[in-house]
Every structure is written in C-alpha cells, then in structure tokens.
Amino acid sequence: MEKEMRYFHEASLTDQEGRLRTMRIPVVQELARSGIDHLPKRFTRVPPTDRTSYTLNFPPVINVARLKEGSEADGRAAELARLASGVKEWGLVLVTEHGIGSSVLHGVRDAVEGFFGLSFEEKKRCVGSYASVDNLGYGRNFVRSDDQPFDWIDRLAMKAAPPGADGGLDVWPRKPPNFRELMQNYVSEARIVLDELLKALAEGLSLEKHCFVENFDPILSEINVRVNYYPPCPGPDRALGLTPHSDASSLTLLMEFGVTAGLQVLKSQEWVTIPRPKDSLIVVVGDLLEIMSNGRVKSPWHRAVAQSDGDRFSVALFYNPSPQTQIKPIENAPNKSNGYRKMIVGEYLQHYYRNAPQNEKRAILYAKD
Ligand SMILES: O=C(O)CCC(=O)C(=O)O
Ligand SMILES: [Fe+2]
C-alpha cells in the first residue's frame, strides 16, 4: 500500500454471490492534500483516458426566460423548438436566465467549499451518520467489483425533498452551520425551473404540456442532491473523475464550479467536453424521462474527466416523481418496436442501483416493452 494512503472511506460492495461487503477506498482529497505526485494503481485505467474533445459542435444554450408563457410569441416558439431539438440531439442542454439568483448559487458554492475545506476528521464528525448507506452521505459512490478502477472523486449525497425521504439517515453536514439552509434555498428555486422545463419540453415536442410534469407531486416528488468533488489529480490522462453512466433521474440540474469544464457526453462515439458559459446550468435527461417520453428523448451516456490544475466541484440535483408513482410512457413510441412499459419509479430506481455502473447503457433495458 502506498504511503500516502492513510485515510479511507468505507463503501459497500455487493459481490458476485450477492453478498454485501465493505471496501476501503482511499479519500482522494487526502491524497491530493498529501501532495502525491503519481497516480496510485487502483485509480489507473487501461487503456488511458483520451480526454481530448475534437468537435466544435455543442449543445445549445437555452434562455429559460424566453420559454415562459406570455413572453414574446415568436421568440418563445423558436426557443421551445431549440430546447426540443437540443434535448433530442444531445440529451442535455445548457440553460441561462433561469431565474435562480446569483446569491443562491453563491450560497451553494460557499456551503460546498466550506464543507470540503474541513479536515477529514471534522467532515466525518459534522455529519450525523458517516455512511455510504444507500449511496447517501459523505463518502463514495458504490463500487461494483474488486478490480474496478476507482474514480478520482469524493462525494456528498443527501435527500432534499420530500422531508423525511432519507428514512432518518442523518447525513446533512452541520458545518458550515447554514449548509442545509443554503442548499434547500437552491433546491426550492431549482424545482420551479425544472417544472418549467418539463412543461416547455413537452410543448416543444408537440406533446400535451403537462404530460411529464403531472407525474411530479408538488409535495411527494423527490430531489436528491449529490455534490461531486474532484481534487487535482496527479495523472488525469490515466484516471477518470466519474465513471461513464446515464442518470436514473427524470431530469438532472447540474451546476459546476472550480477549474475548467470536466463533464463529457458521448455523442456519435466521441466524448465531447461540455463548455461552461458564465451563469449557466446544465440540464441532463435521465432514464425516467426517457421512459416517460417513450424514447422521444434519451438519457445521454456521460462522465467527468479528472484534471490536474485545481479543484472542480459539481452539484447535481436529481428530480424524480415519488417512488410510488407509476409512470406511463406517452403512447405511440416513435420507434414502435422499441418502446417502454409502465413502470413504478421506485422499482426502476432499485433496479438501476443494483445494476449500475456498467460499461454501456443497460439498466434501462429493464423498462423496455
Ligand atoms: O461532475 C460532473 O460534471 C458530472 C456529475 C454527474 O454526472 C452526476 O453527478 O451524475
Ligand atoms: Fe450524471
């Protein structure tokens, strides 16, 4: 074991026989803090990661203010069309003029930097339960196998809505003291934007305006938060920040800060780096929306690359109907032989978490007709 590895997260692993085991994973923030100058073997990918993005074609930046009803008719119709075609082509778009105040966004940033600025021991102490139970809390994403290369990431995951959804798991940090309040402010404003986008997207796809949003009970629908922290990595060309995956959510709202863009999406067999215009957020289609839309929109395969020139953070909000909701795919799948069946949200999420991550988009096959 390399000498820098003194701090570990415990992550649960379900082995081939279905037994739950605990695995120790080095805390990458502590590796970076130790000044490590080489990438430890367990983080090394073979073949190396090609991080270069070759295209000059990017997802569109959508002006959310223009999507609002009552905004000037021509401008609105054009923006709805850009939203729908961008989402169809990429599975994600950037959004500006979303109405979330910059003080709210700065609040999230302060909360996140405040928490990750603490020592490892303090971080562990200031969360009520230090656990990777159900992929929640301060720690690591689940690991699938002993030989899987580790991602260069630390994460903090919480359920923000509805109240009590975490079944009493006390994982919200108590430092900085206003962490939860700052995050909840963001979540409340984000929900308004997400509902607006679900309606606008339905309209842009020439579907009944409420066909997606009607699945989201204003009280019972879920918003899960995941803060991803990618400290500087000593071998970014041989590592990854976050393994390729599609999100299980309906929509994911992603904000990022720190150095350089790091999110990449797979398009026509090529990893494309998503640029980050000032004040924009990223909206990503998840598997549940692919199912609801009966394949009219698709959840993209995406990943985060590692970087060596500083810290990078992203905060993902995963927006889901309540687990009891049965989603019914819109009729008339564009591709009739390839549609989806009715699905209970909680059943899909369970299936997803039992099976992801994989090397390709497979979990969603479970919901195929
Ligand atoms: O850090 C990023 O840009 C990607 C995060 C992400 O894909 C996720 O949290 O699901
Ligand atoms: Fe993701």
Side-chain angles (χ1 to χ4, degrees):
M1 186 75 50
E2 282 135 299
K3 70 176 182 335
E4 292 86 354
M5 293 196 195
R6 292 197 291 131
Y7 300 91
F8 294 90
H9 286 302
E10 305 212 326
S12 46
L13 159 89
T14 312
D15 67 18
Q16 309 260 306
E17 282 80 47
R19 279 184 309 244
L20 196 67
R21 285 200 283 119
T22 304
M23 181 179 245
R24 284 171 16 121
I25 303 182
V27 179
V28 294
Q29 179 173 17
E30 296 304 326
L31 292 178
R33 276 178 171 162
S34 77
I36 192 170
D37 60 2
H38 63 281
L39 185 69
K41 224 167 154 208
R42 274 307 311 254
F43 292 87
T44 304
R45 300 197 175 235
V46 182
T49 316
D50 183 4
R51 299 188 302 148
T52 323
S53 177
Y54 300 94
T55 183
L56 290 175
N57 183 22
F58 299 110
V61 182
I62 303 297
N63 181 326
V64 180
R66 273 196 216 138
L67 299 172
K68 295 225 163 74
E69 267 162 309
S71 96
E72 182 248 318
D74 285 353
R76 178 167 190 263
E79 208 64 3
L80 286 173
R82 268 168 30 87
L83 170 68
S85 68
V87 167
K88 274 181 55 181
E89 185 178 348
W90 291 88
L92 66 80
V93 292
L94 293 132
V95 293
T96 54
E97 303 212 22
H98 38 67
I100 303 180
S102 57
S103 63
V104 172
L105 297 175
H106 280 123
V108 172
R109 196 176 165 146
D110 290 345
V112 166
E113 287 178 343
F115 175 75
F116 279 101
L118 303 171
S119 70
F120 179 56
E121 292 306 330
E122 266 181 300
K123 285 204 274 299
K124 271 173 45 166
R125 265 199 307 274
C126 84
V127 290
S129 349
Y130 169 63
S132 287
V133 184
D134 282 342
N135 258 357
L136 279 183
Y138 169 50
R140 287 295 303 205
N141 294 342
F142 49 165
V143 174
R144 279 284 155 234
S145 70
D146 287 311
D147 48 11
Q148 163 191 343
F150 293 149
D151 292 344
W152 191 264
I153 189 173
D154 280 324
R155 73 102 170 88
L156 174 66
M158 296 132 309
K159 287 185 182 280
D166 50 12
L169 259 183
D170 181 15
V171 296
W172 284 86
R174 287 192 266 277
K175 282 188 191 168
N178 53 354
F179 183 100
R180 187 164 188 168
E181 183 192 333
L182 294 170
M183 205 55 97
Q184 294 283 17
N185 287 343
Y186 176 49
V187 167
S188 317
E189 297 211 7
R191 185 197 290 269
I192 298 169
V193 179
L194 288 161
D195 284 341
E196 200 64 54
L197 286 168
L198 285 168
K199 285 188 271 184
L201 179 62
E203 246 189 297
L205 293 168
S206 307
L207 298 168
E208 198 281 313
K209 184 175 164 185
H210 298 98
C211 68
F212 299 139
V213 85
E214 69 189 5
N215 292 297
F216 294 77
D217 183 285
I219 304 201
L220 298 178
S221 52
E222 294 202 329
I223 298 186
N224 300 324
V225 184
R226 185 164 71 216
V227 180
N228 302 302
Y229 172 33
Y230 311 97
C233 173
D237 294 325
R238 283 168 297 126
L240 265 185
L242 186 57
T243 284
H245 64 283
S246 64
D247 293 348
S249 64
S250 302
L251 277 185
T252 304
L253 188 65
L254 197 65
M255 82 179 255
E256 46 170 6
F257 52 93
V259 296
T260 59
L263 173 66
Q264 294 192 326
V265 65
L266 190 64
K267 183 159 187 290
S268 313
Q269 313 298 319
E270 192 204 321
W271 286 106
V272 177
T273 300
I274 303 302
R276 188 197 326 162
K278 192 169 176 301
D279 296 330
S280 63
L281 298 170
I282 301 165
V283 178
V284 188
V285 171
D287 290 357
L288 287 169
L289 192 62
E290 176 168 339
I291 299 169
M292 280 179 212
S293 75
N294 217 346
R296 285 171 175 79
V297 297
K298 297 199 162 46
S299 59
W301 199 240
H302 59 284
R303 68 181 189 179
V305 292
Q307 78 291 331
S308 56
D309 49 346
D311 290 323
R312 175 172 179 266
F313 296 90
S314 68
V315 179
L317 301 188
F318 301 105
Y319 191 32
N320 294 335
S322 77
Q324 295 78 26
T325 307
Q326 185 187 59
I327 52 176
K328 298 181 197 66
I330 311 291
E331 284 177 7
N332 303 326
N335 179 351
K336 283 215 170 53
S337 62
N338 204 12
Y340 289 95
R341 62 192 169 94
K342 287 183 200 158
M343 181 62 47
I344 305 281
V345 168
E347 181 189 336
Y348 182 71
L349 294 178
Q350 260 191 4
H351 172 83
Y352 175 95
Y353 284 109
R354 244 186 274 123
N355 291 280
Q358 305 239 1
N359 293 331
E360 56 187 308
K361 192 168 143 182
R362 293 197 61 108
I364 201 167
L365 299 181
Y366 178 74
K368 288 267 179 198
D369 222 349

